[in-house]
Amino acid sequence: MKNTAKKWYDYLWVVSLTYLILGFFNILFAWLGLLCFFIPLIISITKGSKAYCNKYCGRGQLFALAGGRFGLSRRKDIPKWMKSSGFRYGFLLFFFAMFFLMLWNTWLVFAGAKDLRTVVTLLWTLKLPWHWAYHGTLFSDGVAQFAFGFYSVMLTSTVLGFVTMLLFKPRSWCVYCPMGTMTQLICRARNAASAPKSL
Amino acid sequence: MPKRKAVIDTRTCVACGCCMKVCPRSAITIPRGICAEVDVALCVGCGKCAQECPTSVITLEVKE
Ligand code: SF4
Ligand code: SF4
Ligand code: SF4
């Protein structure tokens, strides 16, 4: 009955932390972050569940640890507007728009229309020099540009999540996490599509 | 003594599973990835889930 025994997937926060650290040494590791994009999507599309969030997500575990075990969270209620569907869907759209902009910039570098910029963009505006994590690539410069862009996305969401972890409950990021919102939407759509059959 | 049970506002629940992870009785499931559900037969009203829920949508209510 008790579920206090730790399972293997309760340690996936180690993977998330390692990912963030690796980005400081070689930016090309950022490509691995695609796993945190595709795994939740595949699970929600094929299984119709949020098992990724509910069990495997290392990022959520990281916030739970830092905010919970290490007591870095005020543990206050998140403001009402932040849990409204308007904000959640709005943030998802904004996140997507920024993501496509990043893909577009990557494409321009691939196509040779733009030069590689070895910066990590924090919060979509702050350009942090990151050349020390770049040691060249065997492939096109675009491969590296994508790594910088993707790592920017991951670092930005970690920073945002960390701030809301401090202010509100440890896993406040999960309230407006684009992956969480998107997988819930997919599950809703799947369920709406399959509901008439089960009636 | 009246028994208290966890009640979830399913419309605002984000199905993150934080509640499910901390429940000592495994009373919570998220069957379709849409929202969490409490098995009232298992719930002992400890309130751990309510404390953990990042959306703060769990309340403890007296049943019957
Ligand atoms: S909502 Fe986002 S951060 Fe939270 S568990 Fe799901 S994917 Fe991870
Ligand atoms: S912790 Fe709160 S928001 Fe997350 S699944 Fe449980 S009830 Fe829903
Ligand atoms: S009140 Fe306690 S027993 Fe009931 S669902 Fe929440 S964590 Fe589980």
Side-chain angles (χ1 to χ4, degrees):
Chain A
M1 203 58 80
K2 282 225 168 196
N3 69 346
T4 39
K6 291 250 195 263
K7 312 259 179 17
W8 65 268
Y9 51 74
D10 287 320
Y11 297 95
L12 287 173
W13 60 270
V14 179
V15 178
S16 294
L17 190 62
T18 312
Y19 175 83
L20 289 170
I21 295 169
L22 283 176
F24 281 81
F25 294 97
N26 192 329
I27 197 69
L28 294 179
F29 282 115
W31 275 85
L32 291 175
L34 280 176
L35 290 174
C36 329
F37 254 65
F38 286 113
I39 295 172
L41 286 181
I42 290 169
I43 293 180
S44 63
I45 292 168
T46 60
K47 296 252 159 59
S49 83
K50 276 191 54 162
Y52 183 80
C53 292
N54 302 165
K55 287 186 177 153
Y56 310 114
C57 178
R59 167 181 301 250
Q61 293 169 12
L62 209 54
F63 290 137
L65 267 180
R69 180 102 53 93
F70 295 104
L72 294 178
S73 171
R74 289 200 311 158
R75 299 186 157 277
K76 295 273 195 264
D77 290 346
I78 199 164
K80 244 199 174 117
W81 61 267
M82 282 188 81
K83 54 181 166 183
S84 68
S85 11
F87 178 72
R88 291 180 64 217
Y89 298 147
F91 188 73
L92 176 67
L93 284 177
F94 171 74
F95 205 85
F96 256 98
M98 291 297 133
F99 195 78
F100 283 111
L101 196 66
M102 183 275 279
L103 288 181
W104 174 244
N105 279 322
T106 304
W107 165 248
L108 289 179
V109 174
F110 255 118
K114 244 184 164 183
D115 287 333
L116 171 68
R117 293 194 65 191
T118 57
V119 292
V120 163
T121 315
L122 196 61
L123 300 167
W124 306 283
T125 43
L126 286 171
K127 304 240 185 273
L128 311 175
W130 213 268
H131 49 83
W132 31 271
Y134 181 58
H135 318 287
T137 156
L138 294 172
F139 316 100
S140 152
D141 271 357
V143 170
Q145 189 62 65
F146 179 79
F148 279 109
F150 203 84
Y151 193 73
S152 304
V153 171
M154 297 299 269
L155 201 64
T156 298
S157 50
T158 307
V159 168
L160 281 178
F162 201 83
V163 172
T164 47
M165 175 205 78
L166 295 173
L167 293 175
F168 314 118
K169 300 250 180 120
R171 273 178 62 173
S172 297
W173 166 253
C174 296
V175 176
Y176 60 104
C177 166
M179 287 319 291
T181 308
M182 193 155 51
T183 47
Q184 191 187 25
L185 279 176
I186 293 171
C187 289
R188 275 223 175 91
R190 259 193 61 127
N191 204 50
S194 65
K197 269 179 249 149
S198 61
L199 276 180
Chain B
M1 203 185 117
K3 285 201 184 103
R4 297 197 312 161
K5 302 282 180 186
V7 177
I8 297 173
D9 170 8
T10 49
R11 282 188 52 233
T12 347
C13 170
V14 300
C16 59
C18 303
C19 51
M20 197 172 110
K21 284 208 175 181
V22 294
C23 178
R25 302 265 300 159
S26 306
I28 305 183
T29 47
I30 307 184
R32 286 174 304 279
I34 299 169
C35 61
E37 289 175 14
V38 179
D39 182 340
V40 282
L42 290 175
C43 174
V44 290
C46 67
K48 281 197 173 161
C49 53
Q51 240 174 31
E52 201 70 16
C53 174
T55 342
S56 306
V57 292
I58 308 181
T59 46
L60 291 171
E61 286 170 23
V62 178
K63 287 273 155 112
E64 56 43 90

